[in-house]
Amino acid sequence: VTEGDRICLRLRADYVAGDYVWRWDTDFFAASASDSPKASFKQSTFFGVPLSVSKLRKRAHTYLPVASEEGAVVRFVLSQMSGANSIETIATQLLKEFPHRFGELDKAIDFAADVTEKYSV
């Protein structure tokens, strides 16, 4: 860039999945009357975040998801949140359903409490 050069900047922000993806296109024109830029750049925050093929595949509208073990545990707790079961009751059932995941009642209680804190009224 030299004195007298013109800069044309196009800025765009798209709100995607709870955050903004920014894009900026920059053209540099020489001070002389030239219609073609002496340099052009197309940049975006999208290109600054590494995206794995696996993550992209899981966001496709045709993807057929299967819950992970963590998802299955959360689903189980949610299914018990009917207003009829205490956290301790839910945790006791969690320990029976997923003994390898918790091992002891206190860990199951903590997990059930975390899920109910987040998703209960």
Side-chain angles (χ1 to χ4, degrees), residues 17-28:
D19 202 0
Y20 284 94
V21 175
W22 291 89
R23 177 187 170 105
W24 58 101
D25 297 343
T26 313
D27 294 318
F28 295 88

Side-chain angles (χ1 to χ4, degrees), residues 5-76:
D5 283 356
R6 292 179 300 120
I7 299 172
C8 178
L9 174 70
R10 289 172 301 284
L11 181 65
R12 178 178 173 155
D14 293 305
Y15 192 69
V16 179
D19 202 0
Y20 284 94
V21 175
W22 291 89
R23 177 187 170 105
W24 58 101
D25 297 343
T26 313
D27 294 318
F28 295 88
F29 296 90
S32 61
S34 173
D35 290 337
S36 59
K38 65 179 187 177
S40 293
F41 300 96
K42 296 185 183 312
Q43 297 167 290
S44 171
T45 57
F46 177 80
F47 300 118
V49 178
L51 298 172
S52 69
V53 173
S54 175
K55 281 189 175 186
L56 289 173
R57 183 176 54 88
K58 288 181 179 183
R59 295 196 59 88
H61 70 281
T62 55
Y63 180 67
L64 303 172
V66 175
S68 64
E69 181 182 30
E70 184 75 6
V73 175
V74 170
R75 178 177 52 214
F76 180 83

Side-chain angles (χ1 to χ4, degrees), residues 48-110:
V49 178
L51 298 172
S52 69
V53 173
S54 175
K55 281 189 175 186
L56 289 173
R57 183 176 54 88
K58 288 181 179 183
R59 295 196 59 88
H61 70 281
T62 55
Y63 180 67
L64 303 172
V66 175
S68 64
E69 181 182 30
E70 184 75 6
V73 175
V74 170
R75 178 177 52 214
F76 180 83
V77 173
L78 292 172
S79 75
Q80 301 300 304
M81 291 171 49
S82 63
N85 298 313
S86 68
I87 289 177
E88 184 176 18
T89 300
I90 294 170
T92 301
Q93 292 303 312
L94 263 179
L95 197 55
K96 289 179 184 174
E97 291 289 322
F98 304 95
H100 60 282
R101 170 69 166 74
F102 297 102
E104 57 188 56
L105 185 59
D106 286 346
K107 288 182 181 178
I109 287 174
D110 287 343

